Amino acid sequence: MSLSKHIKWNEAGLVAAIAQDWETGEVLMMAWMNPEALDLTLREQRAIYYSRSRQALWRKGEESGNVQQLRELRVDCDGDTVLLKVEQVGGIACHTGRRSCFYRLADNNGELVVTDEVIRDPADMYGIKR
Amino acid sequence: MSLSKHIKWNEAGLVAAIAQDWETGEVLMMAWMNPEALDLTLREQRAIYYSRSRQALWRKGEESGNVQQLRELRVDCDGDTVLLKVEQVGGIACHTGRRSCFYRLADNNGELVVTDEVIRDPADMYGIKR
């Protein structure tokens, strides 16, 4: 794999990754990748990110089952962002149980309005005991 | 405008902004905003970014004419990315003269293949003398 050489890694050694539903075009989330995550994403044909909070690889869907199967990977003009077109298994990308992480719409006063419903209870999704 | 308070600004005081064509769903570009850029984007209903290289506001389209009219602004679950649904004036978001900045597709070997055509010569777009 030589995709890494086409990337302009940021000062933390990461590249921004946007995940988009390959069929509907809906933007699902934005996360980060280190070189290993990017290589594994291409090799395994599923989204693997780098968690900045956990400082570890984040195999999307490993807990929730909501894996993102890779359909297409694109790189932008200056090489500091990649676009993943994915098949979102389970139809849920967000840890809140919604399709997309962008479920809040700004109104003209700068307040946020929740527009998308919770499809699956996160407590159920992540097996949290209640 | 109080949208700023809903944003988790990064260590550089910026938030990632993804621009998406509001009609076709095509992801056009990713850039950054500071609080002023975000406020102005909402107020003027057009995309205004913060250029990290120039360290100044970047009124998208001010040179090229390829303004991005805002149709919808969304914020993600953890507040560190915004999604702008825009009407891309001129149909060109990229400084290379292409519709989208994501005009390069990665093949299975990690090499990049240009898939999108140049719609307008950048030299013409930015009035460069040749």
Side-chain angles (χ1 to χ4, degrees), chain B residues 30-54:
Chain B
M30 205 278 269
W32 295 86
M33 290 180 170
N34 66 0
E36 188 184 2
L38 182 64
D39 281 350
L40 287 172
T41 293
L42 255 194
R43 194 177 311 161
E44 300 188 15
Q45 295 285 299
R46 58 173 282 194
I48 297 175
Y49 302 105
Y50 178 79
S51 165
R52 294 176 300 171
S53 55
R54 292 190 289 114

Side-chain angles (χ1 to χ4, degrees), chain A residues 1-6 10-11 16 18 20 24-27 29-30 32 42 45 52 72-83 94-96 100-113 115-116, chain B residues 1-6 10-11 16 18 20 24-27 29-30 32 42 45 52 72-83 94-96 100-113 115-116:
Chain A
M1 296 292 177
S2 55
L3 183 55
S4 278
K5 71 167 185 265
H6 297 296
N10 76 5
E11 59 287 345
I18 301 165
Q20 179 182 31
T24 66
E26 187 174 17
V27 175
M29 57 181 283
M30 206 278 269
W32 295 87
L42 255 195
Q45 295 286 297
R52 294 175 300 171
E72 200 174 289
L73 192 155
R74 292 182 167 271
V75 179
D76 76 344
C77 52
D78 55 2
D80 66 0
T81 310
V82 300
L83 175 64
C94 187
H95 75 289
T96 64
S100 161
C101 294
F102 296 94
Y103 60 84
R104 298 184 295 172
L105 176 67
D107 68 17
N108 287 338
N109 298 317
E111 293 302 331
L112 295 179
V113 181
T115 57
D116 301 0
Chain B
M1 296 292 177
S2 54
L3 183 54
S4 278
K5 71 169 186 263
H6 297 296
N10 75 5
E11 60 286 346
I18 300 165
Q20 179 183 31
T24 66
E26 187 174 16
V27 176
M29 56 181 285
M30 205 278 269
W32 295 86
L42 255 194
Q45 295 285 299
R52 294 176 300 171
E72 200 174 288
L73 193 155
R74 292 181 166 273
V75 178
D76 76 344
C77 51
D78 56 2
D80 66 359
T81 310
V82 300
L83 175 64
C94 187
H95 76 288
T96 64
S100 161
C101 293
F102 296 94
Y103 59 84
R104 298 183 296 172
L105 176 67
D107 68 16
N108 288 337
N109 298 315
E111 294 302 331
L112 295 179
V113 181
T115 57
D116 301 0

